[in-house]
Amino acid sequence: MACFALGCSFAHAAEVYAGKIPQGEFMKFNKAAAEQVKAIKVTDQALSEEDQTLLTEIATGGMMQLETSKLAVGKSSSPEIKVIAQAELDEQAGLGEKLKEIAAAKKAKLPAGIDEKAKKMVADL
């Protein structure tokens, strides 16, 4: 449920940008989604190979979102984009902490950073 809500926050971000949702409503929605992530209970049950792959993909995607959002916050001249990018930074920081908690409990590995292809893409941006 929390992941669904967080996935929807990007769609809401696009609607904020398009002027369909007031910024305050977007921030409220984003905060509620973050609280749902914090509330996820972590167990020490081992991950299957498929779950480990998914955990790695989620972590990698989150790190990529962090990097591109940092760029948007730092380089955009649009206040709306800066607000959305900052919300994304905050969201991904919370998700990253939860992923670290899950990985530690399950003795799973997370990637140390984005791969070379992603680094190049960020550099090109």
Side-chain angles (χ1 to χ4, degrees):
M1 184 162 131
C3 290
F4 173 74
L6 289 170
C8 290
S9 68
F10 185 75
H12 276 60
E15 290 180 359
V16 169
Y17 179 71
K20 294 181 181 178
I21 295 176
Q23 181 178 325
E25 186 179 332
F26 167 74
M27 298 305 285
K28 182 179 171 183
F29 179 85
N30 214 43
K31 184 177 179 180
E35 291 302 318
Q36 288 178 327
V37 169
K38 286 180 188 175
I40 295 171
K41 302 291 184 223
V42 178
T43 68
D44 62 356
Q45 182 180 1
L47 294 176
S48 68
E49 189 175 319
E50 290 173 338
D51 286 342
Q52 174 62 59
T53 299
L54 180 60
L55 187 71
T56 300
E57 289 173 2
I58 291 169
T60 301
M63 288 185 284
M64 184 66 183
Q65 286 178 289
L66 276 170
E67 293 300 317
T68 56
S69 294
K70 285 178 191 175
L71 283 174
V73 167
K75 296 189 180 268
S76 179
S77 60
S78 166
E80 292 88 0
I81 290 177
K82 286 182 180 274
V83 165
I84 292 168
Q86 185 60 55
E88 184 66 22
L89 280 172
D90 297 343
E91 181 180 292
Q92 288 304 319
L95 281 170
E97 289 305 311
K98 184 55 78 168
L99 286 176
K100 288 176 188 174
E101 181 185 344
I102 292 168
K106 296 178 180 300
K107 297 178 180 34
K109 292 185 178 185
L110 291 175
I114 57 177
D115 62 20
E116 292 305 314
K117 181 179 175 183
K119 285 179 186 176
K120 182 180 179 338
M121 188 181 90
V122 170
D124 289 346
L125 289 174

